[in-house]
Amino acid sequence: MSDGAFTTARLHGASGIHFRPVTMERKRVRLALILISLAFLALFLVMPVLAVFVEAFRGGWPAFAEAIFEPDAAAAIRLTLLVAAISVPCNLVFGVAASWAIAKFDFRGKALLNTLIDLPFSVSPVIAGLIYVLMFGSQSLLGPWLKSEGIQVIFAVPGIVLATIFVTFPFVARELIPLMEEQGRGDEEAALSLGASGFQVFFRVTLPNVKWALLYGVLLCNARAMGEFGAVSVVSGHIRGLTNTMPLHVEILYNEYQFAAAFAVASLLAVLALFTLVVKSVLEWRYADEIAATRRH
Amino acid sequence: MNAITPIEAGVSVALGAPIDVTIENVQKAFGDTPALHGVSLDVKAGELVALLGPSGSGKTTLLRILAGLDAPTAGRVLFGGDDALGLSVQQRNVGFVFQHYALFRHMTVFQNIAFGLTVRPRGERPPKAEIRKRVLHLLDLVQLTGLDKRYPSQLSGGQRQRVALARALAIEPRVLLLDEPFGALDAQVRKDLRRWLREIHDRTGHTTFFVTHDQEEALELADRVVVMSKGRIEQVGTPDEIYDAPASPFVFEFIGESSFLPVTVVDGAVQLDGQSLDLAALGSPHGEATLGFRPHDVSIVEDGGPAITGTIVTERRHGGARRLELEVGTEKHRVEIDMPVDHSRAPGGQVTFRPHRWRLFPR
């Protein structure tokens, strides 16, 4: 048996036994595939991001600082932070509650709820914005009542917050549901049998078990909340200094041929994206380690 | 994992008196699928009872009903004479040990064991020093002294299950429930833990139920074994009763190895294909029956007396014996018998044997 294998190997390779792992391609193929991937990455991802920073600093630091601290830009930054500060906590609470319900309980309509959570992913953001205009705009059913009460939703901050909440709705829940489903109900049942109340089970067992995934979901949610353009564009009305978020401000500057200023504000969003990516990678590294540890026997 | 040494004298756990558990006609259905059809069982205080059965027999469902993790469709459960079904899982004060441990992964061993005490309302919670004393004491009991600062991921499977048991004992449960406690462990660790669990039980004296599909484990560990199948109790008895006097072919087959032959009882004698087997069937009704025997409970017959003759199909080594698979009778029923290792027989040959212990089940 071993003699036969040895002879075959000798026949195939002049220099004794030569073995290439079955899943490994030839050197030429490998090189070609790697080059294609790198070229693609450089062309479509790295260069555009670099371009943002290059353009942002074309006029040097003073021009950059002026573009950022100019009142309308500063107002847009403040509004973006405000919108994120409201919508992210809302979706944090909703996401945790929905995941908890879906992963740990059986009830009628569970599949429907699961599908509904994905709705914002499948609907175009422009439609999402229009939905709110149709619901709260002056032509809507609620319009006259809102007007008589002096509440302005559309072309004001409440509309922007609502649209942002809609668009960022799935991020936290989508991170948590698979993890919580995989963890099952065993830990919760153990805690209950040891006498813990429902609140104690949730805050001392369920939540700590998913804390890294939760943080990751919140980061993604935040990045999207700050970067959302389409839905916000429909409901905002683009009032400078009042209802302009950072992405809308970038567009206005760009349309006015103020390229340096547009790229300066855009570079802030790019920094936010890079920051999110770094924290995400650190978390994935950390959290993968933790998951692996719990599975080690 | 370190070998488990006998429990040192002097380690004891404070306990209330153990209680009787009564299960009366408990039924459970999941939607339209019945899981338990009216199960009744009386368990005396301090008994160690095994719920034994194949998967789908309802044994885990019954255990979860006792714990309060599931509610029965009908029936009653009494803990020491009091209705237990009216109590929530928290109020029922049972210690539950899960097959996959269900340890809290973000807590240390100490925090895991202390959990049941630290979640108590302020008025009932023991002071910190008392909790610490109790946890360290339990760690001694489960022989994990010094591992209190470890996380579950830093422990072996056997160690984790011992932490899970300590955590369940910490709340001074009235009843201890174990769901396939050794199911996820490898064979050697299972055997060690089995012996060790018996010792813990003898020290602490809890009324204990444990679920298993491993008949060897049930027979070795339990005071009484409850054999379940398809949501019903097939037989309840001591390990001796279950092994020596199985009440049905199912129990006979599930407990240990078995061979069956269809036979006829004529005037108190067992016949196979019209030939008498010289097996007295006193008290068995006239007519069709199933003869069951264990492969090691047979004698080879060489004197030409009435016996069973079969053709050898395969022969293989089986532990300390040599196991033959035979084709018997005109309908070529397959049975297995054991022979001494030095009796090697080639397939195709004939063997004549007679069971010296057997059971008859009327059909």
Side-chain angles (χ1 to χ4, degrees), chain A:
Chain A
M1 181 72 200
S2 62
D3 273 0
F6 186 61
T7 321
T8 321
R10 277 259 284 256
L11 283 174
H12 285 288
S15 57
I17 297 170
H18 173 78
F19 181 73
R20 178 162 54 88
V22 288
T23 53
M24 190 182 272
E25 302 299 334
R26 279 168 207 289
K27 202 166 186 180
R28 254 175 301 158
V29 180
R30 270 186 280 157
L31 203 65
L33 286 174
I34 291 170
L35 282 178
I36 291 172
S37 318
L38 286 180
F40 193 85
L41 271 175
L43 195 62
F44 287 95
L45 287 175
V46 180
M47 280 171 54
V49 174
L50 282 180
V52 170
F53 288 101
V54 170
E55 289 295 325
F57 288 101
R58 186 164 289 246
W61 271 102
F64 180 83
E66 196 192 331
I68 301 288
F69 295 113
E70 177 260 329
D72 286 351
I77 293 169
R78 272 200 304 276
L79 180 59
T80 297
L81 291 176
L82 174 70
V83 169
I86 298 170
S87 51
V88 173
C90 283
N91 278 331
L92 167 74
V93 172
F94 164 77
V96 170
S99 322
W100 191 51
I102 287 174
K104 308 283 179 183
F105 299 93
D106 288 316
F107 53 90
R108 216 179 276 267
K110 181 166 153 173
L112 181 69
L113 176 60
N114 215 344
T115 314
L116 273 180
I117 291 175
D118 278 341
L119 186 69
F121 276 158
S122 51
V123 169
S124 157
V126 177
I127 312 286
L130 275 175
I131 292 167
Y132 286 104
V133 173
L134 291 175
M135 271 181 67
F136 300 112
S138 53
Q139 307 301 313
S140 72
L141 275 176
L142 283 172
W145 180 80
L146 286 171
K147 197 168 180 189
S148 69
E149 294 291 314
I151 304 168
Q152 191 165 11
V153 176
I154 301 305
F155 307 138
V157 177
I160 297 174
V161 171
L162 284 175
T164 307
I165 288 177
F166 181 89
V167 173
T168 57
F169 200 66
F171 285 90
V172 173
R174 276 289 148 248
E175 272 318 303
L176 293 187
I177 290 171
L179 181 65
M180 285 173 123
E181 279 184 335
E182 195 211 297
Q183 288 177 348
R185 302 171 199 180
D187 285 13
E188 281 77 11
E189 287 179 343
L192 287 172
S193 76
L194 292 167
S197 68
F199 268 103
Q200 284 173 324
V201 173
F202 182 73
F203 285 107
R204 298 178 72 156
V205 175
T206 309
L207 212 50
N209 270 349
V210 297
K211 60 185 174 207
W212 296 118
L214 179 61
L215 189 51
Y216 181 26
V218 165
L219 271 175
L220 286 180
C221 182
N222 182 59
R224 183 63 192 266
M226 291 189 174
E228 175 54 27
F229 178 84
V232 170
S233 173
V234 176
V235 295
S236 130
H238 305 267
I239 307 164
R240 282 196 186 197
L242 282 179
T243 64
N244 255 354
T245 60
M246 282 163 76
L248 300 183
H249 191 64
V250 171
E251 195 212 14
I252 290 176
L253 292 173
Y254 185 81
N255 287 344
E256 291 173 351
Y257 304 103
Q258 301 185 43
F259 296 133
F263 279 108
V265 179
S267 71
L268 289 183
L269 286 170
V271 166
L272 169 73
L274 292 177
F275 170 77
T276 306
L277 278 179
V278 169
V279 179
K280 167 185 168 279
S281 309
V282 171
L283 278 183
E284 268 177 351
W285 168 69
R286 172 81 210 260
Y287 155 63
D289 194 48
E290 213 167 84
I291 283 185
T294 60
R295 287 185 187 148
R296 211 179 296 135
H297 283 287

Side-chain angles (χ1 to χ4, degrees), chain B residues 48-71:
Chain B
L48 177 52
V49 171
L51 302 175
L52 174 67
S55 53
S57 60
K59 55 192 192 304
T60 295
T61 305
L62 182 58
L63 196 77
R64 290 174 61 87
I65 287 173
L66 292 178
L69 294 170
D70 272 330

